[in-house]
Amino acid sequence: MCGIVAYIGPKDATAFLLEGLQRLEYRGYDSAGVAVAAKGGLKVCKVKGRVADLAAAVPARFKGTTGIGHTRWATHGVPSDANAHPHTDVAERIAVVHNGIIENADQLRALLAADGVVFTSETDTEVLAHLVAAHSGEGVELEDAVRGALGQVVGTYGIAVLDSQQPDRIVVARNGSPIVLGLGEKEMFVASDVAALVRYTRQVVHLEDGELATVRADGFRTFTEDARTVTRQPSTVDWEVASYDTAGYQHYLLKEIHEQPAAVERTLSGRLDERFATAHLGGLNLDARELREIRRVKILGCGSAYYAGEMGAQLIEELARIPAHSEPASEFRYRNPVIEADTLYVAVSQSGETYDTLAAVQEIKRKGGRVLGVVNTVGSAIARECDGGIYLHAGPEISVASTKAFTSTVIAFALLALHFGRIHDLSPADGRRIVAGLKALPDQIREILEQEKEIAELAAAYADNAGMMFIGRTRGYPVAREGAQKLKEISYVHAEAYPASELKHGPLALISPELPTVALVPDDELLDKNLTTLGEIKARSGRILAVAHRTPEAKLIDHCLLVPKSEPELDPLLLNIPLQLLAYYAAVALGRDVDKPRNLAKSVTVE
Ligand code: F6R
């Protein structure tokens, strides 16, 4: 959420800043800005709108070799030129870009205003610029001024600070919002996400919370808020540069949908044990004896991560026969949850940065609970906070709407459930059945993706409605929820998900030809019940698009998308794939900005 970039070196900073911001635009895209140090002063350009609008607004003579940039997702104040970052002090000496939230901004504003500071924006960030300026006395090093300012601040931040009078450095700091340094040849890069850096360097240093760094063209120094130097060794970014491009697809989202077979293969890689019909999960940090003592599993995540957790809970209950439940982390953290010693808590997050999920993990740990992470981003805040976990290895997910990380999360839960199950009472035969089912999934996903053209046509036909109903029973219900979520977030078509069994208890009143239903109709023990529900919808003139293993009778449906059959426990994962394409093509048909849906941003790092 929000993106930061910075450059210091021999070259013109603006080119890198603009390109880097474009790479980070998925994290926030309502306004953008850059600042460079030039001839003892600052040049600042910022606009409401996209990075392309900023690039068009930057004057030709906007030159400087030290600069910072930002792309914003508004928290304090509407998207506007004035509220865009960088923010500067009154004398326009200091410029600051910031991700996160300054919680005591109102008090600090009042203090600064009493000292005569006139604010030019509604943001919390502007406070930081004035505070750094207030600490920047004669001969004071920028890093000391920044430390002084941060000493007054309560909140979360990733920041980059530029001082026009000390243009040989940029000072950055991290507390709850990532900052990565990129090491070049006599030049240094900074970003809130490696996506902005990989074209320039693969050598990176991740700052830890509570750390600052002074970044100069020829290197960097990391230190703590109380000025103790800390040593950080660079690491090499694993992913290829191509992983951060659209690779010829019209959108990242479509590319990521198509990457799912490979992502699933990576999530499974090296983890299936055919001999003992189980899964090996090296990072759990729990031995078989400890796992046997677990009586319940509580899964926590937000949005699609929460829905993937619902599928995970079903897998754990079915395969391991351990009660399991998924809850939105954003709710859990506020309800003073009871933490039980024999419950295993599992935090799910693609980004590993979602603030609500991180706060839930911290709440559990504070109360002595044990938390596993199911996380895509290696070394992220949630991954670091957990006691152990499973990395997805799905690869970078750039589109705001989650698809491949969702699928890989469900795979990770299937592995966990298999592992748990085989420690408990899951038979070797059932273990083998699940191992074989998992191995077949990548090809089955490919088979579904081959129906893309047909799904695109159906999506265009169904997109032109005020809303859509998604229904599924038991295993199918989380699929319905995720299908509805995907449709509403990228196409803005209202979508409601209901357990099929609940329809007659109220929402059947909504059914009409104008509100079509997407019905999940797997060939399982509840098939007859689902067919009855289709009949009830049809009797009320509802239109039905079934996603099924076998085409139901023509009188029960209008259209059907067929999905290959897996093992019943794994079927939800495959049933979800056509719904991703349905949402994607509905959004395309409606002319939506698929990768950057309105009002949203990737990685929700605020409360
Ligand atoms: C939906 C979507 C969001 C995220 C949610 C959690 O497509 O992307 O609902 O799933 O914000 O994000 P992570 O998984 O990064 O914690």
Side-chain angles (χ1 to χ4, degrees):
M1 186 164 264
C2 302
I4 286 178
V5 286
Y7 174 86
I8 183 161
K11 299 184 196 132
D12 175 38
T14 315
F16 165 76
L17 297 178
L18 290 174
E19 212 260 346
L21 287 180
Q22 218 145 38
R23 301 285 169 192
L24 297 188
E25 208 175 20
Y26 70 109
R27 303 183 65 97
Y29 33 85
D30 58 45
S31 48
V34 285
V36 292
K39 296 190 185 128
L42 282 181
K43 286 186 175 166
V44 181
C45 180
K46 48 190 200 166
V47 297
K48 176 183 169 190
R50 299 286 167 97
V51 176
D53 301 311
L54 174 67
V58 169
R61 277 179 301 166
F62 197 88
K63 300 275 181 239
T65 55
T66 309
I68 58 177
H70 192 262
T71 174
R72 178 172 186 250
W73 186 87
T75 57
H76 289 60
V78 295
S80 67
D81 291 358
N83 287 337
H85 301 208
H87 289 284
T88 55
D89 63 318
V90 177
E92 298 212 340
R93 168 184 166 176
I94 305 287
V96 178
V97 289
H98 165 226
N99 291 351
I101 290 201
I102 307 301
E103 285 163 20
N104 59 341
D106 288 346
Q107 293 97 300
L108 293 170
R109 256 177 184 262
L111 282 177
L112 289 159
D115 282 347
V117 170
V118 178
F119 284 83
T120 57
S121 79
E122 303 156 277
T123 66
D124 52 341
T125 305
E126 190 184 343
V127 161
L128 285 174
H130 297 300
L131 283 180
V132 175
H135 286 271
S136 298
E138 190 60 36
V140 176
E141 302 278 331
L142 179 59
E143 35 280 68
D144 293 330
V146 173
R147 282 195 312 105
L150 294 180
Q152 291 183 259
V153 157
V154 179
T156 57
Y157 47 79
I159 55 168
V161 186
L162 183 61
D163 178 350
S164 58
Q165 294 183 20
Q166 300 179 54
D168 61 338
R169 72 195 74 177
I170 292 163
V171 173
V172 297
R174 168 188 173 137
N175 184 35
S177 199
I179 290 286
V180 192
L181 315 183
L183 283 59
E185 278 291 315
K186 300 202 169 57
E187 60 184 353
M188 288 284 294
F189 310 89
V190 174
S192 51
D193 184 326
V194 288
L197 302 176
V198 284
R199 271 158 216 83
Y200 302 88
T201 177
R202 306 289 290 276
Q203 291 299 299
V204 299
V205 171
H206 293 267
L207 287 198
E208 299 280 338
D209 278 346
E211 280 179 10
L212 297 87
T214 303
V215 183
R216 297 172 190 266
D218 58 0
F220 66 96
R221 184 176 79 84
T222 40
F223 50 98
T224 60
E225 282 166 5
D226 54 2
R228 274 183 301 109
T229 299
V230 283
T231 313
R232 289 258 157 260
Q233 294 305 328
S235 57
T236 306
V237 178
D238 289 343
W239 295 102
E240 293 303 319
V241 174
S243 312
Y244 297 88
D245 286 329
T246 50
Y249 285 95
Q250 204 190 339
H251 296 102
Y252 279 108
L253 185 58
L254 189 58
K255 177 193 171 216
E256 288 161 8
I257 289 172
H258 279 273
E259 281 174 341
Q260 291 180 108
V264 168
E265 277 159 6
R266 281 196 303 270
T267 311
L268 290 175
S269 176
R271 287 168 164 168
L272 289 176
D273 176 342
E274 308 221 22
R275 182 162 168 237
F276 289 104
T278 187
H280 288 303
L281 295 164
L284 292 189
N285 298 332
L286 285 169
D287 62 25
R289 193 178 307 228
E290 289 169 305
L291 281 173
R292 281 196 69 85
E293 283 164 10
I294 288 163
R295 293 283 162 266
R296 272 169 298 282
V297 178
K298 164 73 89 179
I299 302 167
L300 299 157
C302 296
S304 291
Y306 155 53
Y307 300 139
E310 289 198 310
M311 290 193 192
Q314 287 192 344
L315 279 157
I316 291 168
E317 284 211 355
E318 289 203 62
L319 298 181
R321 303 305 297 156
I322 297 172
H325 184 246
S326 180
E327 180 176 340
S330 49
E331 289 284 295
F332 175 88
R333 59 174 290 218
Y334 287 115
R335 64 170 181 78
N336 192 18
V338 176
I339 301 302
E340 299 162 306
D342 55 2
T343 295
L344 177 65
Y345 296 87
V346 184
V348 183
S349 179
Q350 185 288 126
S351 62
E353 284 176 45
T354 301
Y355 192 75
D356 284 321
T357 310
L358 179 63
V361 172
Q362 289 167 341
E363 175 73 358
I364 297 163
K365 295 205 67 183
R366 193 181 63 73
K367 292 180 171 174
R370 184 161 36 191
V371 197
L372 290 184
V374 174
V375 174
N376 195 30
T377 308
V378 175
S380 54
I382 293 170
R384 284 202 310 249
E385 195 81 30
C386 288
D387 299 299
I390 308 172
Y391 276 125
L392 302 180
H393 304 303
E397 192 177 69
I398 306 289
S399 188
V400 165
S402 183
T403 51
K404 65 174 178 173
F406 180 92
T407 296
S408 284
T409 302
V410 180
I411 295 286
F413 274 115
L415 291 168
L416 183 63
L418 176 61
H419 182 68
F420 251 129
R422 293 287 295 120
I423 285 170
H424 287 273
D425 297 326
L426 189 73
S427 69
D430 274 332
R432 275 194 293 277
R433 184 173 64 75
I434 297 300
V435 169
L438 285 167
K439 283 173 70 178
L441 286 174
D443 279 341
Q444 290 179 309
I445 296 174
R446 284 186 188 100
E447 214 180 297
I448 298 171
L449 297 177
E450 278 164 18
Q451 297 174 54
E452 184 171 356
K453 197 161 163 286
E454 184 192 342
I455 299 174
E457 281 164 13
L458 281 173
Y462 278 85
D464 202 15
N465 280 292
M468 264 177 128
M469 187 74 96
F470 285 71
I471 59 166
R473 263 191 170 75
T474 62
R475 292 185 200 110
Y477 179 49
V479 184
R481 297 190 85 182
E482 172 60 9
Q485 156 102 338
K486 216 82 310 166
L487 184 71
K488 58 190 146 191
E489 71 182 324
I490 59 172
S491 74
Y492 320 150
V493 172
H494 177 70
E496 264 208 81
Y498 258 93
S501 54
E502 277 290 297
L503 216 56
K504 58 184 175 294
H505 296 293
L508 203 56
L510 291 171
I511 296 299
S512 75
E514 287 74 46
L515 186 83
T517 299
V518 175
L520 297 151
V521 195
D523 199 355
D524 63 9
E525 66 281 7
L526 295 171
L527 178 63
D528 288 345
K529 305 271 175 229
N530 281 322
L531 294 179
T532 303
T533 305
L534 298 189
E536 287 165 3
I537 296 171
K538 271 284 150 208
R540 275 94 189 159
S541 310
R543 285 164 65 211
I544 296 179
L545 167 58
V547 179
H549 294 131
R550 277 188 287 151
T551 312
E553 268 184 90
K555 66 175 189 204
L556 291 179
I557 56 161
D558 294 273
H559 298 97
C560 184
L561 284 168
L562 288 180
V563 169
K565 179 98 187 75
S566 176
E567 296 304 323
E569 300 90 336
L570 301 174
D571 276 334
L573 185 141
L574 292 178
L575 291 165
N576 181 53
I577 308 288
L579 304 190
Q580 299 173 338
L581 284 171
L582 196 72
Y584 173 77
Y585 280 106
V588 170
L590 293 167
R592 307 301 190 215
D593 193 345
V594 175
D595 283 330
K596 300 186 189 89
R598 71 180 178 204
N599 306 340
L600 301 180
K602 193 88 174 156
S603 309
V604 186
T605 53
V606 294
E607 296 191 61

